[in-house]
Structures are given as C-alpha cells and as structure tokens.
Amino acid sequence: MPLPRAVLVCPPDCFDVVDVKNPFMEGQQGHVDYRLAKRQWHEVMRAFEQAGVEVRELPPAPGCEDMVFCANPVFAGLDGDGQRVCVLSHMRFSSRQPEVAAHARWYRENGYHVVEIAGPGLFEGSGDALWHPGRRLIWGGYGQRTSKEVYAKISRVFDAPVIPLELKTELFYHLDTCFCPVDERTALVYPPALTGEGLELLRQAFPSVIEVDDDEATHAMACNAAAFLGKYVVIPKGAPKATARLRELGFQVVEVDTSEFLKSGGSVFCMKMYLF
Ligand code: ARG
C-alpha cells in the first residue's frame, strides 16, 4: 500500500456536543466554545499542510454536529488492483447516520468505488479500521461501535487481511483512541484498552511500540494522532512523554490543542480521512 498523500476534512460549522455518545461527552453538553473550536480546527489544518499532504474539504451538512470527525462515516483505501474503494459505515447512533450519505456522494464524485456492506453489523469506518502504514493489512477494532463480523466483508472488499482487535473498555471506544500506527515499524499504543492477545499481535507487527500512559491516553487522547509520509506526526497537545519518544525516534512532531473536540471524544486522527 502506498502512504496517503491527501486527507478529507470537514469544517466544524455545526460542531457541538448535544448528547452523550461516548464517556468523554458526559457533562459537556452546552460547553463547547465554538470560536475556539474553529481556531483549533484551522490550526490542525495548518499542521496537516505542514506535513506535506493535500487537504480536501467536504462541506458540512446542516444539523450534523459530529461531521467534523471525517474518519467515521466511511473507510477508504485501495483494493488489490489499486482501485480506490470506500466502504460506507453503519453508524451506531442514528444522529450520525445522515453523515454517511454526504460522504458517499463526495467519494462517488471523486472516483471511488463506493461499497455498502449488507447485514446488521455495526461499522464506524476509520475510527476502528486502520491501515498498517505501507502494508496491505488492516487492523480492525471492534466491541463498541463496530461488530467483529463485518471484517470478513471488509477483508474481501479490499483484498487485504484484517486483524481484529477487541476493545476492552468503554472509554476507549474506537481503535483510534488507543492505537496509532505511525509508520511500518512504529505505533503508539495504550495497552489497558486492548486484550493481551491483541497487544501480542501488535507487538509482533510493530518492532517499536510506544506505550502511552494513563494520563496522556485519557486526558490528551495521545493515541488519536495522525502520521504522514513516514516522517511527520500531528499529535494532541498535553502528551509530552509520547511526543518526546516520537522525537527521539526521529519523527517531526507538531502538537495541536484540540480541547474543544476532546469534549466530543475526538481529536486529530478522527478529524480527517486518509486518501490514497
Ligand atoms: N462524538 C463523536 C462520537 O462519539 C466522536 C467521534 C470521534 N471519532 C473517533 N474516531 N474517535 O461518535
């Protein structure tokens, strides 16, 4: 697999916390500072541009308060023939389902083969399904927002093996909250969110696992970082240990403050979809 050279993002025009879809959102209704959220979003976009990827924008759909989290309504990549494919999510919460149609339209118009997966299973796109950088291999989180059984279909559609990883805790509800593949050899991982078996599989595949501690994983959502071109990492601010470790390993790390988006349970990684 090539590394992604572009991302799809959506401005936070309608961003808000109006209900509780994950434990991070508890007590946050009505507490979003909208102006600050916009400023922080632009700062994240600047960091993506600095990392050398093209930033493409999807216009927000009215009433979709979570649409800034572009990682969730679909999962995009290349199939075995190198064709662009996008699988549509079956989102757990009905309030997020309208986002999927808006994304489907964008991907269709931009040359992707858009696939719907039939059946009752849940799937939340690249919140749970993550490409191993540079390999035709997908890591598949399940347990809260995605059902394990959908990965057989995902594997067929992309013609790539999927390694399922069970998410053990309610707090780390998407795989991208506790695991970030940084490059082919390196990953950020918050071990308590995964099973012993899952951790073992990750350690076999990534020779360099950076363990993120409780405080940085929970309060900064340090694992919700985005890596680009095997060299750059955009990481939520407030994770000095993970940041220092990445720098020691030679990565160029940009820290961004995403306090307003953390109130909704999301940060840098889920504010974009990697495009191939
Ligand atoms: N409020 C959103 C939800 O609970 C946040 C999604 C964040 N996305 C992510 N991939 N972690 O659905």
Side-chain angles (χ1 to χ4, degrees), residues 152-208:
K153 292 174 198 158
I154 301 286
S155 176
R156 271 199 301 279
V157 169
F158 288 97
D159 189 21
V162 178
I163 303 182
L165 293 175
E166 184 177 3
L167 298 172
K168 230 172 57 168
T169 68
E170 209 195 329
L171 189 58
F172 295 90
Y173 62 97
H174 272 150
L175 183 59
D176 72 6
T177 63
C178 57
F179 164 59
C180 174
V182 177
D183 70 5
E184 196 163 341
R185 305 172 42 83
T186 316
L188 294 168
V189 179
Y190 176 60
L194 297 160
T195 63
E197 193 194 336
L199 279 172
E200 195 42 49
L201 291 164
L202 284 176
R203 286 188 209 285
Q204 280 168 21
F206 293 92
S208 172

Side-chain angles (χ1 to χ4, degrees), residues 5-9 41 45 48-49 53-57:
R5 303 214 151 249
V7 288
L8 182 66
V9 299
W41 184 81
M45 298 307 116
F48 289 166
E49 279 159 7
V53 287
E54 184 195 348
V55 177
R56 307 195 57 186
E57 246 181 70

Side-chain angles (χ1 to χ4, degrees), residues 32-183:
V32 172
D33 178 334
Y34 306 119
R35 284 184 52 196
L36 181 56
K38 278 193 183 135
R39 245 188 288 141
Q40 291 179 342
W41 184 81
H42 283 289
E43 199 192 319
V44 173
M45 298 307 116
R46 262 199 304 279
F48 289 166
E49 279 159 7
Q50 273 171 32
V53 287
E54 184 195 348
V55 177
R56 307 195 57 186
E57 246 181 70
L58 172 71
C64 291
E65 76 277 3
D66 273 323
M67 201 156 162
V68 68
F69 300 115
C70 274
N72 307 146
V74 306
F75 176 56
L78 304 179
D79 69 12
D81 299 325
Q83 150 116 350
R84 292 194 172 89
V85 178
C86 158
V87 172
L88 304 183
S89 295
H90 282 182
M91 305 205 71
R92 170 159 166 201
F93 294 98
S94 54
S95 62
R96 293 205 65 185
Q97 284 158 9
E99 295 175 40
V100 179
H103 278 261
R105 210 173 311 121
W106 188 91
Y107 284 90
R108 252 181 223 116
E109 285 167 2
N110 285 276
Y112 279 76
H113 172 51
V114 173
V115 178
E116 295 195 44
I117 40 169
L122 294 176
F123 179 56
E124 292 212 350
S126 201
D128 278 321
L130 279 75
W131 285 102
H132 189 118
R135 291 179 61 182
R136 291 203 58 74
L137 171 66
I138 296 163
W139 295 93
Y142 70 92
Q144 311 264 337
R145 302 288 193 94
T146 294
S147 321
K148 189 180 183 185
E149 58 270 23
V150 300
Y151 286 120
K153 292 174 198 158
I154 301 286
S155 176
R156 271 199 301 279
V157 169
F158 288 97
D159 189 21
V162 178
I163 303 182
L165 293 175
E166 184 177 3
L167 298 172
K168 230 172 57 168
T169 68
E170 209 195 329
L171 189 58
F172 295 90
Y173 62 97
H174 272 150
L175 183 59
D176 72 6
T177 63
C178 57
F179 164 59
C180 174
V182 177
D183 70 5

